[in-house]
Amino acid sequence: RRAEVCVEVATPGAGIVAQLQLAPSDTVRVLKTRLATMTGVPVEQQHLCEGTSVLDDAWCIGVNCKSEHEKVVVQMIRMRRQWALSGSSDFTLRLWDTVQGKTVRVLPGHKSWVQCVAVDWARSRAVSASDDFMLHIWDLSSGKITGTLRGHAASVHCVAADWSEDCIISGSYDRTLRLWSLLSCEPSRQALCGHTGR
């Protein structure tokens, strides 16, 4: 009986991305868990194929190996979820699965209409702006507020983010723009004033 099975994992366009030693009784689910640690691709986004067959999570890795030196070669295709985030007059945000057409999570927290959102899908975070004069930073994985930005004196109607620099800019009916640090949840400079109308 083989002690270990060599598994090579390839992706379209990148070739071999991982080589692992697994027990013959280990399942595809075990392989996906190891790959998530090695490659950063979440388990739920991994689709593993051998030839033209999609591998079931319960399939044992070593079941088709006929010799001591035979490798198992699988192809990993990453299928990201197609999500959308919306804000509403019901004071909540909703995270949507656009393929299923269903709400994944409702995010309560604002005290008035949510006017706009900006999303960092790569790091599962977002910022929302509201008529309650505040902006909230969200962890979309947990649905929790991780920070609140206070400083505007009227409804906040627009927001944009430079996620790589951890900064955002917001525009309000108080006729100002404000630059914020997402790390400190504080303004990164004084408000930008000059507009005389909304």
Side-chain angles (χ1 to χ4, degrees), residues 32 40-47 76-81:
K32 286 182 176 181
V41 178
V43 168
E44 62 273 12
Q45 294 181 14
Q46 296 179 36
H47 294 262
M76 179 175 69
I77 299 169
R78 182 174 189 173
M79 298 185 68
R80 298 177 189 270
R81 284 194 171 177

Side-chain angles (χ1 to χ4, degrees), residues 7-95:
V7 181
E8 287 186 347
V9 182
T11 60
I16 303 297
V17 295
Q19 192 170 54
L20 307 89
Q21 298 291 326
L22 297 174
S25 59
D26 282 340
T27 62
V28 168
R29 183 71 183 189
V30 171
L31 174 56
K32 286 182 176 181
T33 302
R34 293 270 302 274
L35 285 172
T37 302
M38 295 174 71
T39 66
V41 178
V43 168
E44 62 273 12
Q45 294 181 14
Q46 296 179 36
H47 294 262
L48 301 183
C49 305
E50 187 178 31
T52 58
S53 301
V54 177
L55 302 180
D56 186 88
D57 280 1
W59 184 76
C60 290
I61 296 297
V63 72
N64 290 334
C65 291
K66 297 178 177 62
S67 73
E68 282 286 321
H69 306 292
E70 186 177 354
K71 291 180 181 176
V72 175
V73 180
V74 298
Q75 185 91 349
M76 179 175 69
I77 299 169
R78 182 174 189 173
M79 298 185 68
R80 298 177 189 270
R81 284 194 171 177
Q82 296 181 36
W83 283 357
L85 186 68
S86 62
S88 171
S89 61
D90 65 8
F91 306 177
T92 70
L93 287 78
R94 282 182 182 260
L95 184 63

Side-chain angles (χ1 to χ4, degrees), residues 81-88 90-99 102-108 110 114-121 123-129 136-144 159 163:
R81 284 194 171 177
Q82 296 181 36
W83 283 357
L85 186 68
S86 62
S88 171
D90 65 8
F91 306 177
T92 70
L93 287 78
R94 282 182 182 260
L95 184 63
W96 300 88
D97 182 327
T98 60
V99 175
K102 295 179 180 178
T103 299
V104 175
R105 180 171 285 121
V106 178
L107 293 80
H110 280 293
V114 179
Q115 292 292 345
C116 56
V117 297
V119 185
D120 178 5
W121 294 113
R123 294 171 64 182
S124 294
R125 58 182 179 163
V127 62
S128 58
H136 288 319
I137 303 165
W138 302 87
D139 177 346
L140 297 179
S141 299
S142 66
K144 303 293 185 186
V159 64
W163 299 108

Side-chain angles (χ1 to χ4, degrees), residues 123 125 137 146 149 165-167 180-186:
R123 294 171 64 182
R125 58 182 179 163
I137 303 165
T146 60
L149 312 177
E165 295 295 326
D166 286 311
C167 72
W180 308 86
S181 165
L182 289 176
L183 301 178
S184 67
C185 293
E186 296 290 337

